[in-house]
Amino acid sequence: MRFAGKVAVVTGGAGGIGRASARLLAEQGAKVVVGDLNQAAGEAVASDIRAAGGEAAFAPVDVADYESVARLVQTAVETYGGIDIMFNNAGIFGDGSQNVIDMPIEAYHRMIAINQHGVYYGIKAAAEQMRAQGRPGVIINTASIYAYIADKNQFPYHASKAAVIGMTKAAALELARYDIRVVAIAPGMIDTGLVDQWRQDERVWNTIQKAHMRRKLGTADQVAQVVAFLASDEASFVNGHAYFVDDGAASFKR
Ligand code: NAD
């Protein structure tokens, strides 16, 4: 119960990585606010956590809208009395169909609004509340190995995830004086709804698997274990960096 007495907010909490993390944080004692655009799925996650004996509430959020993110943090304050852990995790992926020239500018802006601005809003809203509380906090941002290595036809995704790494460093430096740690995770390909679009195509699926040293996608639970570690006091000297959770995918030439 390493998170007993702590309050965590998880964006994208209805999806693969967010759901697994919300469950694990709750299992280890945190009171969790599950935030997501998908109301039905988010409510189901919160109610599953409660059924398993944990504490959780769902709150709708669109991370592309600052007011919405600020309301999400406020829900944590009103429901559980504050916020100790903010997991800025909501994100979308491209369909890989268009290159940097042909992709509509609107598609770029949408990706940046969710994956990049959404993380900024989460950092800002959570840190403001944490500073007001006057006690230590942790902010975890979901980046990707695609912050570091390029794939074709995912231009805005790369831009957004590289920005998450930059924001993590800058926020960690600025928030250190309030004893708020800011870290990121950089997952490889994880078997969630995000990669569903390629599941039926055997050739593409094999290529994705082979991108990892042990030739398998990761699971959301494997990522959640790292999220929980980073959120815990055991990671008290980890700050301003991204943690790779990628079975070496970003470390070898394929
Ligand atoms: P997922 O699709 O299962 O979950 C994403 C969740 O985010 C969904 O529940 C969705 O409803 C929510 N969401 C989308 N837009 C939102 C918005 N505007 N406001 C609030 N919620 C919104 O995918 P996942 O794999 O769990 O992805 C979580 C994070 O992990 C994303 O940031 C993604 O980029 C990142 N990531 C995923 C992989 C992977 O291979 N699955 C790899 C690296 C990084």
PDB file of all heavy atoms in Angstrom, residues 12 14-18 35-38 61-64 89-92 114-115 142-145 157 161 187-195, ligand 1:
ATOM      1  N   GLY A  12      -6.647   9.742 -19.838  1.00  0.00           N
ATOM      2  CA  GLY A  12      -6.655   8.572 -20.720  1.00  0.00           C
ATOM      3  C   GLY A  12      -6.866   7.318 -19.883  1.00  0.00           C
ATOM      4  O   GLY A  12      -6.463   6.218 -20.262  1.00  0.00           O
ATOM      5  N   ALA A  14      -9.348   5.554 -19.329  1.00  0.00           N
ATOM      6  CA  ALA A  14     -10.245   4.515 -19.843  1.00  0.00           C
ATOM      7  C   ALA A  14      -9.517   3.597 -20.820  1.00  0.00           C
ATOM      8  O   ALA A  14     -10.025   2.532 -21.173  1.00  0.00           O
ATOM      9  CB  ALA A  14     -11.439   5.161 -20.548  1.00  0.00           C
ATOM     10  N   GLY A  15      -8.337   4.005 -21.281  1.00  0.00           N
ATOM     11  CA  GLY A  15      -7.619   3.232 -22.297  1.00  0.00           C
ATOM     12  C   GLY A  15      -6.619   2.271 -21.685  1.00  0.00           C
ATOM     13  O   GLY A  15      -6.553   2.115 -20.450  1.00  0.00           O
ATOM     14  N   GLY A  16      -5.831   1.633 -22.539  1.00  0.00           N
ATOM     15  CA  GLY A  16      -4.956   0.537 -22.101  1.00  0.00           C
ATOM     16  C   GLY A  16      -4.000   0.908 -20.979  1.00  0.00           C
ATOM     17  O   GLY A  16      -4.088   0.375 -19.861  1.00  0.00           O
ATOM     18  N   ILE A  17      -3.068   1.821 -21.246  1.00  0.00           N
ATOM     19  CA  ILE A  17      -2.029   2.148 -20.257  1.00  0.00           C
ATOM     20  C   ILE A  17      -2.634   2.876 -19.058  1.00  0.00           C
ATOM     21  O   ILE A  17      -2.296   2.603 -17.905  1.00  0.00           O
ATOM     22  CB  ILE A  17      -0.910   2.988 -20.923  1.00  0.00           C
ATOM     23  CG1 ILE A  17      -0.154   2.129 -21.949  1.00  0.00           C
ATOM     24  CG2 ILE A  17       0.041   3.570 -19.885  1.00  0.00           C
ATOM     25  CD1 ILE A  17       0.842   2.887 -22.823  1.00  0.00           C
ATOM     26  N   GLY A  18      -3.549   3.802 -19.323  1.00  0.00           N
ATOM     27  CA  GLY A  18      -4.173   4.559 -18.250  1.00  0.00           C
ATOM     28  C   GLY A  18      -4.981   3.668 -17.319  1.00  0.00           C
ATOM     29  O   GLY A  18      -4.906   3.779 -16.096  1.00  0.00           O
ATOM     30  N   GLY A  35      -9.734  10.125 -15.551  1.00  0.00           N
ATOM     31  CA  GLY A  35     -10.204  11.136 -16.500  1.00  0.00           C
ATOM     32  C   GLY A  35     -10.112  10.626 -17.920  1.00  0.00           C
ATOM     33  O   GLY A  35      -9.098  10.017 -18.292  1.00  0.00           O
ATOM     34  N   ASP A  36     -11.154  10.820 -18.695  1.00  0.00           N
ATOM     35  CA  ASP A  36     -11.115  10.384 -20.093  1.00  0.00           C
ATOM     36  C   ASP A  36     -12.253  11.067 -20.856  1.00  0.00           C
ATOM     37  O   ASP A  36     -13.249  11.504 -20.286  1.00  0.00           O
ATOM     38  CB  ASP A  36     -11.267   8.858 -20.213  1.00  0.00           C
ATOM     39  CG  ASP A  36     -10.639   8.297 -21.476  1.00  0.00           C
ATOM     40  OD1 ASP A  36     -11.226   8.484 -22.574  1.00  0.00           O
ATOM     41  OD2 ASP A  36      -9.552   7.689 -21.395  1.00  0.00           O
ATOM     42  N   LEU A  37     -12.067  11.097 -22.162  1.00  0.00           N
ATOM     43  CA  LEU A  37     -13.103  11.582 -23.068  1.00  0.00           C
ATOM     44  C   LEU A  37     -14.233  10.553 -23.174  1.00  0.00           C
ATOM     45  O   LEU A  37     -15.392  10.900 -23.386  1.00  0.00           O
ATOM     46  CB  LEU A  37     -12.448  11.760 -24.444  1.00  0.00           C
ATOM     47  CG  LEU A  37     -12.965  12.756 -25.452  1.00  0.00           C
ATOM     48  CD1 LEU A  37     -13.110  14.142 -24.851  1.00  0.00           C
ATOM     49  CD2 LEU A  37     -12.001  12.816 -26.655  1.00  0.00           C
ATOM     50  N   ASN A  38     -13.846   9.308 -23.049  1.00  0.00           N
ATOM     51  CA  ASN A  38     -14.799   8.195 -23.179  1.00  0.00           C
ATOM     52  C   ASN A  38     -15.462   7.922 -21.826  1.00  0.00           C
ATOM     53  O   ASN A  38     -14.915   7.228 -20.965  1.00  0.00           O
ATOM     54  CB  ASN A  38     -14.043   6.962 -23.686  1.00  0.00           C
ATOM     55  CG  ASN A  38     -14.981   5.803 -23.987  1.00  0.00           C
ATOM     56  OD1 ASN A  38     -16.072   5.701 -23.428  1.00  0.00           O
ATOM     57  ND2 ASN A  38     -14.559   4.934 -24.881  1.00  0.00           N
ATOM     58  N   VAL A  61     -13.045  14.368 -19.216  1.00  0.00           N
ATOM     59  CA  VAL A  61     -12.074  15.419 -19.540  1.00  0.00           C
ATOM     60  C   VAL A  61     -11.742  15.370 -21.019  1.00  0.00           C
ATOM     61  O   VAL A  61     -11.682  14.294 -21.612  1.00  0.00           O
ATOM     62  CB  VAL A  61     -10.777  15.269 -18.696  1.00  0.00           C
ATOM     63  CG1 VAL A  61      -9.979  14.027 -19.069  1.00  0.00           C
ATOM     64  CG2 VAL A  61      -9.881  16.511 -18.831  1.00  0.00           C
ATOM     65  N   ASP A  62     -11.561  16.542 -21.590  1.00  0.00           N
ATOM     66  CA  ASP A  62     -10.934  16.643 -22.907  1.00  0.00           C
ATOM     67  C   ASP A  62      -9.614  17.357 -22.671  1.00  0.00           C
ATOM     68  O   ASP A  62      -9.589  18.563 -22.403  1.00  0.00           O
ATOM     69  CB  ASP A  62     -11.820  17.451 -23.863  1.00  0.00           C
ATOM     70  CG  ASP A  62     -11.158  17.609 -25.228  1.00  0.00           C
ATOM     71  OD1 ASP A  62     -10.019  17.118 -25.408  1.00  0.00           O
ATOM     72  OD2 ASP A  62     -11.778  18.228 -26.118  1.00  0.00           O
ATOM     73  N   VAL A  63      -8.519  16.614 -22.769  1.00  0.00           N
ATOM     74  CA  VAL A  63      -7.221  17.210 -22.404  1.00  0.00           C
ATOM     75  C   VAL A  63      -6.792  18.322 -23.360  1.00  0.00           C
ATOM     76  O   VAL A  63      -5.873  19.074 -23.063  1.00  0.00           O
ATOM     77  CB  VAL A  63      -6.100  16.152 -22.282  1.00  0.00           C
ATOM     78  CG1 VAL A  63      -6.387  15.154 -21.186  1.00  0.00           C
ATOM     79  CG2 VAL A  63      -5.808  15.472 -23.613  1.00  0.00           C
ATOM     80  N   ALA A  64      -7.460  18.422 -24.505  1.00  0.00           N
ATOM     81  CA  ALA A  64      -7.127  19.494 -25.447  1.00  0.00           C
ATOM     82  C   ALA A  64      -7.707  20.844 -25.015  1.00  0.00           C
ATOM     83  O   ALA A  64      -7.500  21.851 -25.680  1.00  0.00           O
ATOM     84  CB  ALA A  64      -7.635  19.128 -26.838  1.00  0.00           C
ATOM     85  N   ASN A  89      -1.454  11.169 -19.491  1.00  0.00           N
ATOM     86  CA  ASN A  89      -1.263   9.981 -20.320  1.00  0.00           C
ATOM     87  C   ASN A  89      -2.140   9.931 -21.572  1.00  0.00           C
ATOM     88  O   ASN A  89      -1.826   9.224 -22.521  1.00  0.00           O
ATOM     89  CB  ASN A  89      -1.532   8.754 -19.421  1.00  0.00           C
ATOM     90  CG  ASN A  89      -1.677   7.490 -20.209  1.00  0.00           C
ATOM     91  OD1 ASN A  89      -0.705   6.979 -20.756  1.00  0.00           O
ATOM     92  ND2 ASN A  89      -2.897   6.985 -20.300  1.00  0.00           N
ATOM     93  N   ALA A  90      -3.242  10.693 -21.592  1.00  0.00           N
ATOM     94  CA  ALA A  90      -4.147  10.623 -22.752  1.00  0.00           C
ATOM     95  C   ALA A  90      -3.372  10.960 -24.030  1.00  0.00           C
ATOM     96  O   ALA A  90      -2.529  11.854 -24.042  1.00  0.00           O
ATOM     97  CB  ALA A  90      -5.304  11.598 -22.573  1.00  0.00           C
ATOM     98  N   GLY A  91      -3.677  10.240 -25.079  1.00  0.00           N
ATOM     99  CA  GLY A  91      -3.004  10.525 -26.342  1.00  0.00           C
ATOM    100  C   GLY A  91      -3.632   9.769 -27.492  1.00  0.00           C
ATOM    101  O   GLY A  91      -4.378   8.806 -27.290  1.00  0.00           O
ATOM    102  N   ILE A  92      -3.331  10.234 -28.681  1.00  0.00           N
ATOM    103  CA  ILE A  92      -3.808   9.566 -29.897  1.00  0.00           C
ATOM    104  C   ILE A  92      -2.608   9.285 -30.803  1.00  0.00           C
ATOM    105  O   ILE A  92      -1.535   9.890 -30.643  1.00  0.00           O
ATOM    106  CB  ILE A  92      -4.856  10.419 -30.655  1.00  0.00           C
ATOM    107  CG1 ILE A  92      -4.294  11.810 -30.998  1.00  0.00           C
ATOM    108  CG2 ILE A  92      -6.139  10.540 -29.841  1.00  0.00           C
ATOM    109  CD1 ILE A  92      -5.148  12.613 -31.959  1.00  0.00           C
ATOM    110  N   ILE A 114      -3.896  17.466 -28.503  1.00  0.00           N
ATOM    111  CA  ILE A 114      -4.130  16.406 -27.506  1.00  0.00           C
ATOM    112  C   ILE A 114      -2.815  15.950 -26.862  1.00  0.00           C
ATOM    113  O   ILE A 114      -2.647  15.998 -25.641  1.00  0.00           O
ATOM    114  CB  ILE A 114      -4.866  15.215 -28.155  1.00  0.00           C
ATOM    115  CG1 ILE A 114      -6.258  15.655 -28.632  1.00  0.00           C
ATOM    116  CG2 ILE A 114      -4.961  14.035 -27.186  1.00  0.00           C
ATOM    117  CD1 ILE A 114      -6.985  14.652 -29.494  1.00  0.00           C
ATOM    118  N   ASN A 115      -1.870  15.519 -27.689  1.00  0.00           N
ATOM    119  CA  ASN A 115      -0.655  14.882 -27.148  1.00  0.00           C
ATOM    120  C   ASN A 115       0.314  15.874 -26.513  1.00  0.00           C
ATOM    121  O   ASN A 115       1.038  15.532 -25.591  1.00  0.00           O
ATOM    122  CB  ASN A 115       0.087  14.142 -28.266  1.00  0.00           C
ATOM    123  CG  ASN A 115      -0.641  12.900 -28.726  1.00  0.00           C
ATOM    124  OD1 ASN A 115      -1.806  12.689 -28.393  1.00  0.00           O
ATOM    125  ND2 ASN A 115       0.029  12.080 -29.509  1.00  0.00           N
ATOM    126  N   THR A 142       3.267  10.780 -20.427  1.00  0.00           N
ATOM    127  CA  THR A 142       3.506   9.684 -21.375  1.00  0.00           C
ATOM    128  C   THR A 142       4.075  10.234 -22.676  1.00  0.00           C
ATOM    129  O   THR A 142       3.388  10.941 -23.419  1.00  0.00           O
ATOM    130  CB  THR A 142       2.222   8.886 -21.651  1.00  0.00           C
ATOM    131  OG1 THR A 142       1.744   8.356 -20.410  1.00  0.00           O
ATOM    132  CG2 THR A 142       2.513   7.718 -22.590  1.00  0.00           C
ATOM    133  N   ALA A 143       5.340   9.908 -22.919  1.00  0.00           N
ATOM    134  CA  ALA A 143       5.971  10.224 -24.212  1.00  0.00           C
ATOM    135  C   ALA A 143       5.910   8.951 -25.049  1.00  0.00           C
ATOM    136  O   ALA A 143       4.871   8.267 -25.085  1.00  0.00           O
ATOM    137  CB  ALA A 143       7.396  10.721 -23.983  1.00  0.00           C
ATOM    138  N   SER A 144       7.007   8.592 -25.694  1.00  0.00           N
ATOM    139  CA  SER A 144       7.049   7.394 -26.545  1.00  0.00           C
ATOM    140  C   SER A 144       8.475   7.250 -27.051  1.00  0.00           C
ATOM    141  O   SER A 144       9.234   8.233 -27.075  1.00  0.00           O
ATOM    142  CB  SER A 144       6.114   7.585 -27.744  1.00  0.00           C
ATOM    143  OG  SER A 144       6.395   6.650 -28.764  1.00  0.00           O
ATOM    144  N   ILE A 145       8.820   6.031 -27.487  1.00  0.00           N
ATOM    145  CA  ILE A 145      10.116   5.908 -28.166  1.00  0.00           C
ATOM    146  C   ILE A 145      10.117   6.762 -29.432  1.00  0.00           C
ATOM    147  O   ILE A 145      11.169   7.129 -29.933  1.00  0.00           O
ATOM    148  CB  ILE A 145      10.485   4.438 -28.501  1.00  0.00           C
ATOM    149  CG1 ILE A 145       9.394   3.774 -29.341  1.00  0.00           C
ATOM    150  CG2 ILE A 145      10.792   3.654 -27.246  1.00  0.00           C
ATOM    151  CD1 ILE A 145       9.828   2.429 -29.943  1.00  0.00           C
ATOM    152  N   TYR A 157       2.914  12.954 -34.542  1.00  0.00           N
ATOM    153  CA  TYR A 157       3.103  12.152 -33.322  1.00  0.00           C
ATOM    154  C   TYR A 157       4.532  12.357 -32.807  1.00  0.00           C
ATOM    155  O   TYR A 157       4.749  12.590 -31.617  1.00  0.00           O
ATOM    156  CB  TYR A 157       2.831  10.683 -33.624  1.00  0.00           C
ATOM    157  CG  TYR A 157       2.743   9.807 -32.385  1.00  0.00           C
ATOM    158  CD1 TYR A 157       1.599   9.790 -31.596  1.00  0.00           C
ATOM    159  CD2 TYR A 157       3.811   9.004 -31.993  1.00  0.00           C
ATOM    160  CE1 TYR A 157       1.510   8.986 -30.453  1.00  0.00           C
ATOM    161  CE2 TYR A 157       3.741   8.197 -30.857  1.00  0.00           C
ATOM    162  CZ  TYR A 157       2.587   8.194 -30.097  1.00  0.00           C
ATOM    163  OH  TYR A 157       2.508   7.406 -28.958  1.00  0.00           O
ATOM    164  N   LYS A 161       5.439  14.012 -29.165  1.00  0.00           N
ATOM    165  CA  LYS A 161       6.095  13.228 -28.121  1.00  0.00           C
ATOM    166  C   LYS A 161       7.480  13.791 -27.792  1.00  0.00           C
ATOM    167  O   LYS A 161       7.921  13.726 -26.646  1.00  0.00           O
ATOM    168  CB  LYS A 161       6.175  11.755 -28.520  1.00  0.00           C
ATOM    169  CG  LYS A 161       4.801  11.079 -28.610  1.00  0.00           C
ATOM    170  CD  LYS A 161       4.058  11.121 -27.278  1.00  0.00           C
ATOM    171  CE  LYS A 161       2.759  10.325 -27.300  1.00  0.00           C
ATOM    172  NZ  LYS A 161       2.031  10.396 -26.016  1.00  0.00           N
ATOM    173  N   PRO A 187       7.264   4.496 -23.803  1.00  0.00           N
ATOM    174  CA  PRO A 187       6.967   3.096 -24.141  1.00  0.00           C
ATOM    175  C   PRO A 187       7.316   2.759 -25.594  1.00  0.00           C
ATOM    176  O   PRO A 187       7.286   3.622 -26.477  1.00  0.00           O
ATOM    177  CB  PRO A 187       5.439   2.994 -23.937  1.00  0.00           C
ATOM    178  CG  PRO A 187       5.035   4.224 -23.189  1.00  0.00           C
ATOM    179  CD  PRO A 187       6.036   5.280 -23.582  1.00  0.00           C
ATOM    180  N   GLY A 188       7.632   1.471 -25.806  1.00  0.00           N
ATOM    181  CA  GLY A 188       7.681   0.928 -27.163  1.00  0.00           C
ATOM    182  C   GLY A 188       6.240   0.650 -27.580  1.00  0.00           C
ATOM    183  O   GLY A 188       5.311   1.289 -27.085  1.00  0.00           O
ATOM    184  N   MET A 189       6.046  -0.293 -28.496  1.00  0.00           N
ATOM    185  CA  MET A 189       4.680  -0.622 -28.899  1.00  0.00           C
ATOM    186  C   MET A 189       4.017  -1.461 -27.807  1.00  0.00           C
ATOM    187  O   MET A 189       4.544  -2.505 -27.413  1.00  0.00           O
ATOM    188  CB  MET A 189       4.682  -1.401 -30.213  1.00  0.00           C
ATOM    189  CG  MET A 189       5.022  -0.527 -31.395  1.00  0.00           C
ATOM    190  SD  MET A 189       3.753   0.739 -31.641  1.00  0.00           S
ATOM    191  CE  MET A 189       4.116   1.221 -33.309  1.00  0.00           C
ATOM    192  N   ILE A 190       2.875  -0.990 -27.356  1.00  0.00           N
ATOM    193  CA  ILE A 190       2.165  -1.649 -26.264  1.00  0.00           C
ATOM    194  C   ILE A 190       0.818  -2.137 -26.789  1.00  0.00           C
ATOM    195  O   ILE A 190       0.132  -1.414 -27.532  1.00  0.00           O
ATOM    196  CB  ILE A 190       1.962  -0.659 -25.082  1.00  0.00           C
ATOM    197  CG1 ILE A 190       3.290   0.017 -24.692  1.00  0.00           C
ATOM    198  CG2 ILE A 190       1.331  -1.389 -23.886  1.00  0.00           C
ATOM    199  CD1 ILE A 190       4.404  -0.893 -24.246  1.00  0.00           C
ATOM    200  N   ASP A 191       0.444  -3.326 -26.393  1.00  0.00           N
ATOM    201  CA  ASP A 191      -0.769  -3.956 -26.915  1.00  0.00           C
ATOM    202  C   ASP A 191      -2.021  -3.335 -26.281  1.00  0.00           C
ATOM    203  O   ASP A 191      -2.547  -3.845 -25.294  1.00  0.00           O
ATOM    204  CB  ASP A 191      -0.706  -5.462 -26.644  1.00  0.00           C
ATOM    205  CG  ASP A 191      -1.693  -6.210 -27.510  1.00  0.00           C
ATOM    206  OD1 ASP A 191      -2.549  -5.561 -28.148  1.00  0.00           O
ATOM    207  OD2 ASP A 191      -1.603  -7.451 -27.556  1.00  0.00           O
ATOM    208  N   THR A 192      -2.459  -2.224 -26.845  1.00  0.00           N
ATOM    209  CA  THR A 192      -3.655  -1.511 -26.367  1.00  0.00           C
ATOM    210  C   THR A 192      -4.524  -1.170 -27.579  1.00  0.00           C
ATOM    211  O   THR A 192      -4.151  -1.453 -28.721  1.00  0.00           O
ATOM    212  CB  THR A 192      -3.276  -0.177 -25.677  1.00  0.00           C
ATOM    213  OG1 THR A 192      -2.798   0.721 -26.695  1.00  0.00           O
ATOM    214  CG2 THR A 192      -2.215  -0.354 -24.610  1.00  0.00           C
ATOM    215  N   GLY A 193      -5.620  -0.457 -27.309  1.00  0.00           N
ATOM    216  CA  GLY A 193      -6.502  -0.025 -28.393  1.00  0.00           C
ATOM    217  C   GLY A 193      -5.798   0.866 -29.405  1.00  0.00           C
ATOM    218  O   GLY A 193      -6.216   0.965 -30.568  1.00  0.00           O
ATOM    219  N   LEU A 194      -4.713   1.490 -28.981  1.00  0.00           N
ATOM    220  CA  LEU A 194      -3.991   2.413 -29.862  1.00  0.00           C
ATOM    221  C   LEU A 194      -3.420   1.716 -31.104  1.00  0.00           C
ATOM    222  O   LEU A 194      -3.263   2.317 -32.157  1.00  0.00           O
ATOM    223  CB  LEU A 194      -2.852   3.066 -29.072  1.00  0.00           C
ATOM    224  CG  LEU A 194      -2.249   4.336 -29.639  1.00  0.00           C
ATOM    225  CD1 LEU A 194      -2.892   5.533 -28.956  1.00  0.00           C
ATOM    226  CD2 LEU A 194      -0.753   4.388 -29.408  1.00  0.00           C
ATOM    227  N   VAL A 195      -3.097   0.436 -30.965  1.00  0.00           N
ATOM    228  CA  VAL A 195      -2.484  -0.285 -32.088  1.00  0.00           C
ATOM    229  C   VAL A 195      -3.460  -1.252 -32.772  1.00  0.00           C
ATOM    230  O   VAL A 195      -3.067  -2.006 -33.664  1.00  0.00           O
ATOM    231  CB  VAL A 195      -1.196  -1.042 -31.641  1.00  0.00           C
ATOM    232  CG1 VAL A 195      -0.143  -0.064 -31.158  1.00  0.00           C
ATOM    233  CG2 VAL A 195      -1.483  -2.073 -30.568  1.00  0.00           C
TER     234      VAL A 195
HETATM  235  P1  NAD B   1      -5.569   3.832 -25.789  1.00  0.00           P
HETATM  236  O1  NAD B   1      -6.111   4.283 -27.081  1.00  0.00           O
HETATM  237  O2  NAD B   1      -5.901   2.483 -25.265  1.00  0.00           O
HETATM  238  O3  NAD B   1      -5.899   4.896 -24.636  1.00  0.00           O
HETATM  239  C1  NAD B   1      -5.868   6.280 -24.865  1.00  0.00           C
HETATM  240  C2  NAD B   1      -6.992   6.891 -24.053  1.00  0.00           C
HETATM  241  O4  NAD B   1      -6.913   8.323 -24.200  1.00  0.00           O
HETATM  242  C3  NAD B   1      -8.376   6.464 -24.525  1.00  0.00           C
HETATM  243  O5  NAD B   1      -9.144   6.006 -23.447  1.00  0.00           O
HETATM  244  C4  NAD B   1      -8.985   7.737 -25.132  1.00  0.00           C
HETATM  245  O6  NAD B   1     -10.380   7.825 -24.957  1.00  0.00           O
HETATM  246  C5  NAD B   1      -8.240   8.801 -24.333  1.00  0.00           C
HETATM  247  N1  NAD B   1      -8.228  10.099 -25.029  1.00  0.00           N
HETATM  248  C6  NAD B   1      -7.967  10.351 -26.329  1.00  0.00           C
HETATM  249  N2  NAD B   1      -8.103  11.671 -26.596  1.00  0.00           N
HETATM  250  C7  NAD B   1      -8.450  12.252 -25.419  1.00  0.00           C
HETATM  251  C8  NAD B   1      -8.726  13.581 -25.042  1.00  0.00           C
HETATM  252  N3  NAD B   1      -8.692  14.580 -25.936  1.00  0.00           N
HETATM  253  N4  NAD B   1      -9.036  13.835 -23.755  1.00  0.00           N
HETATM  254  C9  NAD B   1      -9.111  12.821 -22.847  1.00  0.00           C
HETATM  255  N5  NAD B   1      -8.861  11.539 -23.152  1.00  0.00           N
HETATM  256  C10 NAD B   1      -8.541  11.252 -24.426  1.00  0.00           C
HETATM  257  O7  NAD B   1      -3.980   3.943 -25.943  1.00  0.00           O
HETATM  258  P2  NAD B   1      -2.776   3.719 -24.937  1.00  0.00           P
HETATM  259  O8  NAD B   1      -1.807   2.869 -25.642  1.00  0.00           O
HETATM  260  O9  NAD B   1      -3.238   3.334 -23.599  1.00  0.00           O
HETATM  261  O10 NAD B   1      -2.188   5.194 -24.932  1.00  0.00           O
HETATM  262  C11 NAD B   1      -1.892   5.931 -23.779  1.00  0.00           C
HETATM  263  C12 NAD B   1      -0.700   6.811 -24.051  1.00  0.00           C
HETATM  264  O11 NAD B   1       0.430   5.999 -24.341  1.00  0.00           O
HETATM  265  C13 NAD B   1      -0.844   7.759 -25.240  1.00  0.00           C
HETATM  266  O12 NAD B   1      -0.299   9.028 -24.894  1.00  0.00           O
HETATM  267  C14 NAD B   1       0.018   7.112 -26.306  1.00  0.00           C
HETATM  268  O13 NAD B   1       0.510   8.034 -27.224  1.00  0.00           O
HETATM  269  C15 NAD B   1       1.101   6.512 -25.456  1.00  0.00           C
HETATM  270  N6  NAD B   1       1.858   5.443 -26.090  1.00  0.00           N
HETATM  271  C16 NAD B   1       1.233   4.315 -26.508  1.00  0.00           C
HETATM  272  C17 NAD B   1       1.977   3.329 -27.139  1.00  0.00           C
HETATM  273  C18 NAD B   1       1.339   2.063 -27.635  1.00  0.00           C
HETATM  274  O14 NAD B   1       1.979   1.362 -28.418  1.00  0.00           O
HETATM  275  N7  NAD B   1       0.142   1.724 -27.222  1.00  0.00           N
HETATM  276  C19 NAD B   1       3.350   3.513 -27.320  1.00  0.00           C
HETATM  277  C20 NAD B   1       3.953   4.664 -26.863  1.00  0.00           C
HETATM  278  C21 NAD B   1       3.195   5.645 -26.248  1.00  0.00           C
END
